[in-house]
Amino acid sequence: LRAKPRTQASLAVSADGVSWFLLNASPDIHRQIEGFPALWPRERRDTPIAGILLNNGDMDHCLGLLSLRESQPLKLYATAAVKRGFTEGNSLYRTLERFPGQVTWKILELGRTIRLEAPAGADSGLAVTAVPIPGKRPVHSGPGPDDAEDNVGFLIRDAAAEKTLAYFPAVGLPSHPLVEALGQTDAVFFDGTFWSGDEMATTGVGTAKARDMAHWPLGGPGGSLSFLERLGCRRILTHINNTNPILREDSPERMAVLAEGIEIAEDGWEISL
Amino acid sequence: LRAKPRTQASLAVSADGVSWFLLNASPDIHRQIEGFPALWPRERRDTPIAGILLNNGDMDHCLGLLSLRESQPLKLYATAAVKRGFTEGNSLYRTLERFPGQVTWKILELGRTIRLEAPAGADSGLAVTAVPIPGKRPVHSGPGPDDAEDNVGFLIRDAAAEKTLAYFPAVGLPSHPLVEALGQTDAVFFDGTFWSGDEMATTGVGTAKARDMAHWPLGGPGGSLSFLERLGCRRILTHINNTNPILREDSPERMAVLAEGIEIAEDGWEISL
């Protein structure tokens, strides 16, 4: 199989190269930090990571938080629903409550822009807007009513540079807020989980459909690729499942994506807007 | 600083080279599996990992289980107390309850030997005995009475080869069961967390004492090194905290350990008894 190994989907963003914000905390967060010296502690446990944004409550976006259970305070940005899904009824969360102020939650309201704080409340130069996106409750939250706050995409704005980055790693369906949000960005990291709706079954690794897992497949009529083709900004696929044929260097699906000028994310990429 | 980076403490054992058992599931479990081809799935998701043993409920021993939430059934060996500490009140555990039989728990009773099962209940050639060792409840379980089942060491016996491996990564204090257990082994992986009782404070990374964290320090009068010196078997230090000076290639503490013929574990070691 001709394919490069990849860690799980995550991004670090910064306006000033000093304060960094992680977009999701995947289980392999330590390995990802090791791979990017700008995130290394400057001395002892003084971390350049000023905050972590969670776009939904899935394990592959949150589990890494529990590996960060050290003496370093942590600032987390998430909707109230995502916070509840991770903190309520979760005994393991106590490892992040070892001392008062270990974790500070900054609650994201849908459509409202707030600034991302550098240490000591200083300005990081970045602001975030949470865009509601059709998604689903995390598996560990069990059955229950969907909440518009369960899943969001992020618009991250550097006002001084007049640049906006979009991070939408989980998009269940097309929607008006999605179209509107991506019409005003300079680059988007977009949900590349699946190529087709039934590839978990056809590759023999499961039975769930892309639809059940709230990931809009790329290929076929009505696939997200036809939506992405019409965007004028830089477009990068991320959160790519290991069943997705675009990971194979020699697949026709990969060729179809690249031919549209759409990029397929790899570990270690650095991008300046 | 002259020191090799290491992943977190974990071991894989096998009698036949076909069925493997992991001793603890650290948060970096995927990286560790990647580093050892014998653990790679043979086809699709057919894993050589026949079971995982948990010696206590600490996050660094259990969190990796939540990264394994796939369609593969999982057999876990732990005491009833360790099982309770990880499953009760832990909503994240639902990711391991996606289908009936996803996880099978094999409950370890103190001092009683049970065989480790190969797939389909076949004999792996290995048996395990859980030895009660002074330890502590995991942080996420909150305050409560100590239970002798909170922390154990493992004696793993290959009857055909007449060899016994001991895995004791968390030893709070010396005790009679410890002395007795280690008198009958061919090799022991032993708690090398701390050199001194107050090194978290002296290195500036925390305030907890080794005693509070239930790790018997190696150095000084009454340190575990003087106990290990008297054992006739192969002795390997594991679970070494990043504050421990034995990690520095040029430290006198490391020289003192090596001079006694005691080894300091590194990633990737393979050992045959």
Side-chain angles (χ1 to χ4, degrees), chain A residues 27 30-31 34 44-45 59-60 63 66-67 69 71 85-86 88-92 94-95 98 139-142 203-205 242, chain B residues 8 27 30-31 34 44-45 59-60 63 66-67 69 71 85-86 88-92 94-95 98 139-142 203-205 242:
Chain A
H30 280 293
R31 186 181 194 165
E34 276 177 36
R44 288 266 160 64
R45 298 195 175 183
M59 282 291 82
D60 61 340
L63 196 60
L66 298 178
S67 296
R69 59 189 199 296
S71 51
F86 188 70
E88 291 184 4
N90 172 13
S91 57
L92 304 188
R94 285 209 200 105
T95 58
R98 294 184 178 214
V139 170
H140 69 262
S141 290
T203 56
V205 298
N242 59 9
Chain B
Q8 290 189 256
H30 281 292
R31 185 182 196 167
E34 276 177 36
R44 289 264 157 64
R45 297 198 177 183
M59 282 290 84
D60 60 341
L63 195 61
L66 298 177
S67 296
R69 61 189 195 296
S71 51
F86 188 67
E88 290 184 4
N90 170 14
S91 58
L92 303 188
R94 288 211 198 104
T95 59
R98 295 184 177 214
V139 170
H140 68 263
S141 291
T203 57
V205 299
N242 59 10

Short mmCIF file of all heavy atoms in Angstrom, two decimals, chain A residues 27 30-31 34 44-45 59-60 63 66-67 69 71 85-86 88-92 94-95 98 139-142 203-205 242, chain B residues 8 27 30-31 34 44-45 59-60 63 66-67 69 71 85-86 88-92 94-95 98 139-142 203-205 242:
data_model
loop_
_atom_site.label_atom_id
_atom_site.label_comp_id
_atom_site.label_asym_id
_atom_site.label_seq_id
_atom_site.Cartn_x
_atom_site.Cartn_y
_atom_site.Cartn_z
N PRO A 27 -5.56 11.87 20.86
CA PRO A 27 -4.86 10.99 21.82
C PRO A 27 -3.34 11.02 21.65
O PRO A 27 -2.62 10.79 22.61
CB PRO A 27 -5.43 9.60 21.49
CG PRO A 27 -6.77 9.85 20.87
CD PRO A 27 -6.63 11.15 20.13
N HIS A 30 0.95 14.25 22.53
CA HIS A 30 2.36 14.41 22.91
C HIS A 30 3.30 14.23 21.71
O HIS A 30 4.26 14.95 21.54
CB HIS A 30 2.74 13.43 24.02
CG HIS A 30 2.29 13.88 25.36
ND1 HIS A 30 2.81 14.99 25.98
CD2 HIS A 30 1.33 13.42 26.18
CE1 HIS A 30 2.20 15.17 27.14
NE2 HIS A 30 1.30 14.23 27.29
N ARG A 31 2.96 13.23 20.91
CA ARG A 31 3.77 12.98 19.72
C ARG A 31 3.69 14.17 18.77
O ARG A 31 4.67 14.54 18.13
CB ARG A 31 3.20 11.74 19.06
CG ARG A 31 3.94 11.21 17.89
CD ARG A 31 3.15 10.02 17.41
NE ARG A 31 3.85 9.18 16.50
CZ ARG A 31 3.45 7.94 16.18
NH1 ARG A 31 2.38 7.45 16.75
NH2 ARG A 31 4.12 7.23 15.33
N GLU A 34 5.79 16.95 20.16
CA GLU A 34 7.22 16.63 19.93
C GLU A 34 7.66 16.95 18.51
O GLU A 34 8.81 17.29 18.28
CB GLU A 34 7.46 15.14 20.18
CG GLU A 34 7.67 14.77 21.62
CD GLU A 34 7.83 13.27 21.79
OE1 GLU A 34 8.43 12.63 20.89
OE2 GLU A 34 7.35 12.76 22.80
N ARG A 44 11.25 24.54 31.92
CA ARG A 44 10.46 23.67 32.77
C ARG A 44 9.10 23.43 32.15
O ARG A 44 9.00 22.94 31.06
CB ARG A 44 10.30 24.26 34.19
CG ARG A 44 11.56 24.21 34.98
CD ARG A 44 11.60 22.94 35.86
NE ARG A 44 12.97 22.65 36.26
CZ ARG A 44 13.71 23.43 37.01
NH1 ARG A 44 13.22 24.55 37.50
NH2 ARG A 44 14.95 23.09 37.31
N ARG A 45 8.03 23.82 32.82
CA ARG A 45 6.72 23.53 32.25
C ARG A 45 6.00 24.78 31.72
O ARG A 45 4.79 24.85 31.69
CB ARG A 45 5.87 22.75 33.26
CG ARG A 45 6.54 21.42 33.57
CD ARG A 45 5.66 20.42 34.26
NE ARG A 45 6.41 19.16 34.40
CZ ARG A 45 5.93 18.05 34.91
NH1 ARG A 45 4.69 18.00 35.31
NH2 ARG A 45 6.69 16.97 34.99
N MET A 59 -13.91 11.41 21.10
CA MET A 59 -12.68 10.97 21.76
C MET A 59 -11.43 11.41 21.01
O MET A 59 -10.44 11.80 21.62
CB MET A 59 -12.66 9.44 21.87
CG MET A 59 -13.50 8.83 22.96
SD MET A 59 -12.88 9.16 24.61
CE MET A 59 -13.56 10.77 24.84
N ASP A 60 -11.47 11.32 19.69
CA ASP A 60 -10.25 11.64 18.95
C ASP A 60 -9.97 13.15 18.94
O ASP A 60 -8.93 13.57 18.43
CB ASP A 60 -10.26 11.05 17.53
CG ASP A 60 -11.40 11.57 16.68
OD1 ASP A 60 -12.39 12.07 17.24
OD2 ASP A 60 -11.32 11.46 15.45
N LEU A 63 -9.46 13.27 23.91
CA LEU A 63 -8.77 12.35 24.83
C LEU A 63 -7.39 12.86 25.23
O LEU A 63 -6.93 12.62 26.34
CB LEU A 63 -8.67 10.95 24.21
CG LEU A 63 -8.33 9.82 25.19
CD1 LEU A 63 -9.37 9.69 26.28
CD2 LEU A 63 -8.19 8.50 24.44
N LEU A 66 -6.46 14.47 28.64
CA LEU A 66 -6.17 13.69 29.85
C LEU A 66 -4.71 13.26 29.91
O LEU A 66 -4.25 12.76 30.92
CB LEU A 66 -7.09 12.47 29.92
CG LEU A 66 -8.58 12.79 30.00
CD1 LEU A 66 -9.40 11.51 30.02
CD2 LEU A 66 -8.88 13.62 31.24
N SER A 67 -3.99 13.46 28.82
CA SER A 67 -2.55 13.22 28.85
C SER A 67 -1.80 14.46 29.31
O SER A 67 -0.60 14.41 29.52
CB SER A 67 -2.03 12.85 27.46
OG SER A 67 -2.58 11.65 27.02
N ARG A 69 -2.37 16.11 32.03
CA ARG A 69 -2.68 16.28 33.45
C ARG A 69 -1.42 16.56 34.27
O ARG A 69 -0.93 15.72 34.99
CB ARG A 69 -3.39 15.06 34.00
CG ARG A 69 -2.58 13.82 33.84
CD ARG A 69 -3.32 12.57 34.18
NE ARG A 69 -2.39 11.49 34.44
CZ ARG A 69 -1.55 11.00 33.53
NH1 ARG A 69 -1.52 11.48 32.31
NH2 ARG A 69 -0.74 10.02 33.85
N SER A 71 1.06 20.02 36.04
CA SER A 71 0.89 21.19 36.90
C SER A 71 0.61 22.46 36.10
O SER A 71 0.48 23.54 36.65
CB SER A 71 2.13 21.39 37.78
OG SER A 71 3.28 21.37 36.98
N GLY A 85 -20.40 17.37 27.68
CA GLY A 85 -20.16 16.00 27.21
C GLY A 85 -18.84 15.44 27.68
O GLY A 85 -18.68 14.23 27.84
N PHE A 86 -17.88 16.32 27.93
CA PHE A 86 -16.57 15.83 28.36
C PHE A 86 -16.43 15.82 29.88
O PHE A 86 -15.71 14.98 30.43
CB PHE A 86 -15.45 16.69 27.75
CG PHE A 86 -14.09 16.12 28.01
CD1 PHE A 86 -13.68 14.94 27.39
CD2 PHE A 86 -13.21 16.74 28.88
CE1 PHE A 86 -12.43 14.39 27.64
CE2 PHE A 86 -11.95 16.21 29.14
CZ PHE A 86 -11.57 15.03 28.51
N GLU A 88 -19.16 16.02 32.38
CA GLU A 88 -20.21 15.45 33.24
C GLU A 88 -20.18 13.93 33.21
O GLU A 88 -20.16 13.32 32.15
CB GLU A 88 -21.58 15.99 32.81
CG GLU A 88 -21.73 17.46 33.13
CD GLU A 88 -23.13 18.01 32.81
OE1 GLU A 88 -24.01 17.21 32.41
OE2 GLU A 88 -23.32 19.22 32.96
N GLY A 89 -20.23 13.35 34.38
CA GLY A 89 -20.25 11.89 34.48
C GLY A 89 -18.96 11.24 34.06
O GLY A 89 -18.91 10.04 33.83
N ASN A 90 -17.91 12.03 33.97
CA ASN A 90 -16.62 11.51 33.52
C ASN A 90 -15.61 11.58 34.66
O ASN A 90 -14.97 12.61 34.87
CB ASN A 90 -16.14 12.33 32.31
CG ASN A 90 -14.72 11.98 31.90
OD1 ASN A 90 -14.17 10.97 32.36
ND2 ASN A 90 -14.13 12.82 31.07
N SER A 91 -15.49 10.48 35.39
CA SER A 91 -14.59 10.47 36.55
C SER A 91 -13.15 10.79 36.15
O SER A 91 -12.41 11.39 36.93
CB SER A 91 -14.66 9.12 37.25
OG SER A 91 -14.31 8.09 36.34
N LEU A 92 -12.76 10.42 34.95
CA LEU A 92 -11.37 10.65 34.53
C LEU A 92 -11.04 12.14 34.49
O LEU A 92 -9.88 12.54 34.59
CB LEU A 92 -11.09 10.03 33.16
CG LEU A 92 -11.36 8.53 33.00
CD1 LEU A 92 -10.84 8.05 31.65
CD2 LEU A 92 -10.76 7.72 34.12
N ARG A 94 -11.39 14.18 36.66
CA ARG A 94 -10.77 14.65 37.92
C ARG A 94 -9.26 14.82 37.80
O ARG A 94 -8.66 15.54 38.59
CB ARG A 94 -11.06 13.66 39.05
CG ARG A 94 -12.48 13.74 39.54
CD ARG A 94 -12.60 13.35 41.02
NE ARG A 94 -13.97 12.97 41.31
CZ ARG A 94 -14.37 11.72 41.48
NH1 ARG A 94 -13.49 10.74 41.46
NH2 ARG A 94 -15.63 11.47 41.71
N THR A 95 -8.65 14.14 36.85
CA THR A 95 -7.20 14.33 36.69
C THR A 95 -6.88 15.74 36.21
O THR A 95 -5.72 16.16 36.26
CB THR A 95 -6.60 13.32 35.68
OG1 THR A 95 -7.25 13.48 34.43
CG2 THR A 95 -6.77 11.91 36.16
N ARG A 98 -6.86 18.80 39.64
CA ARG A 98 -5.95 18.53 40.75
C ARG A 98 -5.73 19.74 41.63
O ARG A 98 -5.37 19.63 42.79
CB ARG A 98 -4.60 18.05 40.23
CG ARG A 98 -4.71 16.72 39.54
CD ARG A 98 -3.35 16.22 39.12
NE ARG A 98 -3.49 14.91 38.51
CZ ARG A 98 -2.58 13.94 38.61
NH1 ARG A 98 -1.47 14.15 39.27
NH2 ARG A 98 -2.77 12.78 38.04
N VAL A 139 -20.07 9.41 20.95
CA VAL A 139 -20.55 8.07 21.33
C VAL A 139 -20.66 7.92 22.84
O VAL A 139 -21.64 7.37 23.34
CB VAL A 139 -19.57 7.00 20.76
CG1 VAL A 139 -19.89 5.63 21.33
CG2 VAL A 139 -19.64 6.98 19.24
N HIS A 140 -19.69 8.43 23.57
CA HIS A 140 -19.70 8.20 25.02
C HIS A 140 -20.80 8.97 25.73
O HIS A 140 -21.07 8.71 26.90
CB HIS A 140 -18.33 8.52 25.63
CG HIS A 140 -18.00 9.98 25.62
ND1 HIS A 140 -17.21 10.57 24.66
CD2 HIS A 140 -18.36 10.98 26.45
CE1 HIS A 140 -17.10 11.85 24.91
NE2 HIS A 140 -17.79 12.13 25.98
N SER A 141 -21.44 9.91 25.06
CA SER A 141 -22.56 10.62 25.70
C SER A 141 -23.85 9.82 25.61
O SER A 141 -24.85 10.20 26.21
CB SER A 141 -22.76 12.00 25.06
OG SER A 141 -21.69 12.85 25.41
N GLY A 142 -23.83 8.73 24.86
CA GLY A 142 -25.02 7.88 24.76
C GLY A 142 -26.12 8.56 23.96
O GLY A 142 -25.94 9.67 23.45
N THR A 203 -14.63 -1.86 3.00
CA THR A 203 -13.24 -2.21 3.35
C THR A 203 -13.19 -3.22 4.50
O THR A 203 -12.12 -3.61 4.92
CB THR A 203 -12.43 -0.96 3.74
OG1 THR A 203 -13.11 -0.30 4.82
CG2 THR A 203 -12.29 0.00 2.57
N GLY A 204 -14.36 -3.58 5.00
CA GLY A 204 -14.42 -4.67 5.98
C GLY A 204 -14.04 -4.29 7.39
O GLY A 204 -13.76 -5.15 8.22
N VAL A 205 -14.02 -3.00 7.72
CA VAL A 205 -13.59 -2.62 9.06
C VAL A 205 -14.76 -2.23 9.96
O VAL A 205 -14.56 -1.91 11.13
CB VAL A 205 -12.57 -1.45 9.04
CG1 VAL A 205 -11.33 -1.87 8.30
CG2 VAL A 205 -13.17 -0.20 8.44
N ASN A 242 -8.56 6.01 7.78
CA ASN A 242 -7.62 5.12 7.10
C ASN A 242 -8.27 4.23 6.04
O ASN A 242 -7.59 3.50 5.33
CB ASN A 242 -6.80 4.28 8.11
CG ASN A 242 -7.68 3.43 9.00
OD1 ASN A 242 -8.87 3.31 8.78
ND2 ASN A 242 -7.07 2.85 10.02
N GLN B 8 6.10 5.91 27.30
CA GLN B 8 5.72 5.56 28.67
C GLN B 8 5.92 4.07 28.92
O GLN B 8 6.06 3.28 27.99
CB GLN B 8 4.29 6.01 28.90
CG GLN B 8 4.22 7.54 28.95
CD GLN B 8 2.88 8.08 29.40
OE1 GLN B 8 2.10 8.55 28.60
NE2 GLN B 8 2.62 8.03 30.67
N PRO B 27 -1.03 6.02 27.41
CA PRO B 27 -1.67 6.90 26.41
C PRO B 27 -1.01 6.83 25.03
O PRO B 27 -1.68 7.06 24.03
CB PRO B 27 -1.51 8.30 27.03
CG PRO B 27 -1.38 8.06 28.50
CD PRO B 27 -0.66 6.75 28.64
N HIS B 30 -0.56 3.49 20.75
CA HIS B 30 -0.46 3.29 19.30
C HIS B 30 0.98 3.42 18.82
O HIS B 30 1.45 2.66 17.98
CB HIS B 30 -1.35 4.29 18.56
CG HIS B 30 -2.78 3.87 18.56
ND1 HIS B 30 -3.22 2.76 17.89
CD2 HIS B 30 -3.87 4.38 19.18
CE1 HIS B 30 -4.52 2.62 18.08
NE2 HIS B 30 -4.94 3.58 18.86
N ARG B 31 1.67 4.40 19.37
CA ARG B 31 3.07 4.59 19.00
C ARG B 31 3.90 3.39 19.42
O ARG B 31 4.81 2.97 18.70
CB ARG B 31 3.55 5.84 19.72
CG ARG B 31 4.91 6.30 19.41
CD ARG B 31 5.13 7.51 20.28
NE ARG B 31 6.25 8.30 19.88
CZ ARG B 31 6.47 9.53 20.34
NH1 ARG B 31 5.61 10.08 21.19
NH2 ARG B 31 7.52 10.20 19.96
N GLU B 34 3.18 0.57 17.03
CA GLU B 34 3.87 0.84 15.76
C GLU B 34 5.35 0.47 15.82
O GLU B 34 5.94 0.08 14.82
CB GLU B 34 3.77 2.33 15.41
CG GLU B 34 2.49 2.72 14.72
CD GLU B 34 2.43 4.21 14.48
OE1 GLU B 34 3.48 4.82 14.20
OE2 GLU B 34 1.32 4.75 14.59
N ARG B 44 -6.45 -6.96 8.16
CA ARG B 44 -7.51 -6.04 8.61
C ARG B 44 -7.32 -5.74 10.09
O ARG B 44 -6.28 -5.29 10.50
CB ARG B 44 -8.90 -6.61 8.33
CG ARG B 44 -9.26 -6.62 6.88
CD ARG B 44 -10.08 -5.38 6.50
NE ARG B 44 -9.96 -5.09 5.05
CZ ARG B 44 -10.40 -5.91 4.10
NH1 ARG B 44 -10.99 -7.03 4.39
NH2 ARG B 44 -10.23 -5.57 2.85
N ARG B 45 -8.31 -6.05 10.91
CA ARG B 45 -8.17 -5.72 12.32
C ARG B 45 -7.95 -6.94 13.20
O ARG B 45 -8.34 -6.99 14.35
CB ARG B 45 -9.37 -4.88 12.76
CG ARG B 45 -9.40 -3.57 11.98
CD ARG B 45 -10.27 -2.51 12.60
NE ARG B 45 -10.14 -1.28 11.80
CZ ARG B 45 -10.71 -0.13 12.08
NH1 ARG B 45 -11.45 -0.02 13.14
NH2 ARG B 45 -10.53 0.93 11.30
N MET B 59 -3.96 6.75 35.21
CA MET B 59 -4.18 7.17 33.83
C MET B 59 -3.08 6.67 32.90
O MET B 59 -3.34 6.26 31.78
CB MET B 59 -4.22 8.69 33.74
CG MET B 59 -5.50 9.35 34.18
SD MET B 59 -6.88 9.06 33.05
CE MET B 59 -7.41 7.49 33.65
N ASP B 60 -1.84 6.71 33.36
CA ASP B 60 -0.75 6.33 32.46
C ASP B 60 -0.69 4.82 32.23
O ASP B 60 0.09 4.35 31.42
CB ASP B 60 0.62 6.89 32.91
CG ASP B 60 1.03 6.40 34.28
OD1 ASP B 60 0.15 5.93 35.04
OD2 ASP B 60 2.22 6.47 34.61
N LEU B 63 -5.23 4.82 30.12
CA LEU B 63 -5.84 5.74 29.15
C LEU B 63 -5.78 5.20 27.72
O LEU B 63 -6.69 5.44 26.92
CB LEU B 63 -5.18 7.12 29.23
CG LEU B 63 -5.95 8.26 28.56
CD1 LEU B 63 -7.32 8.45 29.18
CD2 LEU B 63 -5.16 9.56 28.63
N LEU B 66 -8.77 3.64 25.77
CA LEU B 66 -9.79 4.44 25.08
C LEU B 66 -9.35 4.82 23.66
O LEU B 66 -10.14 5.34 22.89
CB LEU B 66 -10.11 5.69 25.89
CG LEU B 66 -10.68 5.41 27.28
CD1 LEU B 66 -10.91 6.71 28.04
CD2 LEU B 66 -11.98 4.63 27.19
N SER B 67 -8.09 4.58 23.34
CA SER B 67 -7.64 4.77 21.96
C SER B 67 -7.87 3.52 21.14
O SER B 67 -7.69 3.53 19.93
CB SER B 67 -6.14 5.10 21.92
OG SER B 67 -5.89 6.30 22.56
N ARG B 69 -10.68 1.95 20.81
CA ARG B 69 -12.13 1.79 20.65
C ARG B 69 -12.49 1.50 19.20
O ARG B 69 -12.98 2.33 18.47
CB ARG B 69 -12.83 3.04 21.14
CG ARG B 69 -12.44 4.26 20.35
CD ARG B 69 -12.93 5.55 20.92
NE ARG B 69 -12.81 6.59 19.92
CZ ARG B 69 -11.66 7.01 19.42
NH1 ARG B 69 -10.51 6.49 19.84
NH2 ARG B 69 -11.65 7.93 18.48
N SER B 71 -13.50 -2.02 16.33
CA SER B 71 -14.39 -3.17 16.23
C SER B 71 -13.76 -4.45 16.80
O SER B 71 -14.37 -5.50 16.78
CB SER B 71 -14.80 -3.39 14.77
OG SER B 71 -13.66 -3.41 13.95
N GLY B 85 -12.51 1.15 39.32
CA GLY B 85 -11.94 2.50 39.21
C GLY B 85 -11.95 3.04 37.79
O GLY B 85 -12.00 4.25 37.58
N PHE B 86 -11.89 2.14 36.83
CA PHE B 86 -11.86 2.60 35.44
C PHE B 86 -13.24 2.64 34.80
O PHE B 86 -13.50 3.46 33.93
CB PHE B 86 -10.95 1.69 34.59
CG PHE B 86 -10.72 2.21 33.21
CD1 PHE B 86 -9.98 3.38 33.00
CD2 PHE B 86 -11.25 1.58 32.10
CE1 PHE B 86 -9.78 3.89 31.72
CE2 PHE B 86 -11.06 2.07 30.82
CZ PHE B 86 -10.33 3.23 30.63
N GLU B 88 -16.50 2.55 36.57
CA GLU B 88 -17.63 3.18 37.27
C GLU B 88 -17.54 4.69 37.22
O GLU B 88 -16.51 5.27 37.52
CB GLU B 88 -17.69 2.68 38.72
CG GLU B 88 -18.12 1.22 38.79
CD GLU B 88 -18.27 0.71 40.23
OE1 GLU B 88 -18.13 1.51 41.18
OE2 GLU B 88 -18.53 -0.50 40.36
N GLY B 89 -18.67 5.30 36.85
CA GLY B 89 -18.72 6.77 36.81
C GLY B 89 -17.87 7.36 35.72
O GLY B 89 -17.58 8.56 35.72
N ASN B 90 -17.47 6.54 34.77
CA ASN B 90 -16.60 7.02 33.70
C ASN B 90 -17.35 6.94 32.37
O ASN B 90 -17.37 5.90 31.71
CB ASN B 90 -15.33 6.17 33.65
CG ASN B 90 -14.48 6.44 32.43
OD1 ASN B 90 -14.70 7.44 31.74
ND2 ASN B 90 -13.53 5.58 32.16
N SER B 91 -17.96 8.05 32.00
CA SER B 91 -18.77 8.06 30.78
C SER B 91 -17.93 7.69 29.56
O SER B 91 -18.44 7.10 28.61
CB SER B 91 -19.41 9.43 30.58
OG SER B 91 -18.41 10.43 30.51
N LEU B 92 -16.64 8.03 29.57
CA LEU B 92 -15.81 7.73 28.39
C LEU B 92 -15.71 6.23 28.13
O LEU B 92 -15.45 5.81 27.00
CB LEU B 92 -14.40 8.32 28.57
CG LEU B 92 -14.29 9.82 28.84
CD1 LEU B 92 -12.83 10.25 28.78
CD2 LEU B 92 -15.13 10.64 27.87
N ARG B 94 -17.94 4.25 27.78
CA ARG B 94 -18.95 3.80 26.80
C ARG B 94 -18.35 3.59 25.40
O ARG B 94 -18.91 2.85 24.61
CB ARG B 94 -20.08 4.83 26.67
CG ARG B 94 -20.98 4.84 27.87
CD ARG B 94 -22.42 5.23 27.48
NE ARG B 94 -23.14 5.64 28.66
CZ ARG B 94 -23.41 6.90 28.96
NH1 ARG B 94 -23.07 7.87 28.12
NH2 ARG B 94 -24.04 7.21 30.07
N THR B 95 -17.24 4.22 25.13
CA THR B 95 -16.62 3.99 23.81
C THR B 95 -16.10 2.55 23.70
O THR B 95 -15.79 2.10 22.61
CB THR B 95 -15.44 4.95 23.55
OG1 THR B 95 -14.46 4.76 24.57
CG2 THR B 95 -15.90 6.38 23.55
N ARG B 98 -19.44 -0.44 22.62
CA ARG B 98 -20.19 -0.18 21.39
C ARG B 98 -20.97 -1.38 20.92
O ARG B 98 -21.94 -1.25 20.18
CB ARG B 98 -19.23 0.25 20.27
CG ARG B 98 -18.57 1.57 20.58
CD ARG B 98 -17.71 2.00 19.41
NE ARG B 98 -17.14 3.30 19.71
CZ ARG B 98 -16.91 4.24 18.80
NH1 ARG B 98 -17.19 4.02 17.54
NH2 ARG B 98 -16.42 5.40 19.15
N VAL B 139 -5.80 8.93 41.02
CA VAL B 139 -6.25 10.29 41.32
C VAL B 139 -7.70 10.49 40.93
O VAL B 139 -8.49 11.08 41.68
CB VAL B 139 -5.37 11.32 40.57
CG1 VAL B 139 -5.95 12.72 40.65
CG2 VAL B 139 -3.95 11.30 41.12
N HIS B 140 -8.12 9.97 39.79
CA HIS B 140 -9.48 10.24 39.31
C HIS B 140 -10.54 9.53 40.14
O HIS B 140 -11.72 9.81 40.00
CB HIS B 140 -9.62 9.88 37.83
CG HIS B 140 -9.55 8.42 37.56
ND1 HIS B 140 -8.40 7.79 37.16
CD2 HIS B 140 -10.48 7.44 37.64
CE1 HIS B 140 -8.63 6.50 37.00
NE2 HIS B 140 -9.88 6.26 37.29
N SER B 141 -10.15 8.58 40.99
CA SER B 141 -11.13 7.93 41.87
C SER B 141 -11.44 8.76 43.10
O SER B 141 -12.35 8.42 43.86
CB SER B 141 -10.64 6.54 42.29
OG SER B 141 -10.65 5.67 41.19
N GLY B 142 -10.70 9.84 43.30
CA GLY B 142 -10.97 10.71 44.44
C GLY B 142 -10.60 10.05 45.75
O GLY B 142 -10.08 8.94 45.78
N THR B 203 13.34 19.57 41.56
CA THR B 203 13.48 19.89 40.14
C THR B 203 12.44 20.91 39.69
O THR B 203 12.40 21.30 38.53
CB THR B 203 13.34 18.62 39.26
OG1 THR B 203 12.07 18.01 39.53
CG2 THR B 203 14.44 17.63 39.53
N GLY B 204 11.58 21.32 40.61
CA GLY B 204 10.67 22.44 40.33
C GLY B 204 9.45 22.08 39.50
O GLY B 204 8.80 22.95 38.94
N VAL B 205 9.11 20.81 39.41
CA VAL B 205 7.95 20.45 38.58
C VAL B 205 6.71 20.11 39.39
O VAL B 205 5.67 19.81 38.82
CB VAL B 205 8.27 19.27 37.63
CG1 VAL B 205 9.39 19.63 36.69
CG2 VAL B 205 8.58 18.01 38.40
N ASN B 242 10.53 11.64 34.45
CA ASN B 242 11.53 12.48 33.75
C ASN B 242 12.34 13.37 34.71
O ASN B 242 13.25 14.06 34.27
CB ASN B 242 10.88 13.31 32.63
CG ASN B 242 9.78 14.22 33.14
OD1 ASN B 242 9.61 14.38 34.35
ND2 ASN B 242 9.03 14.81 32.23
#
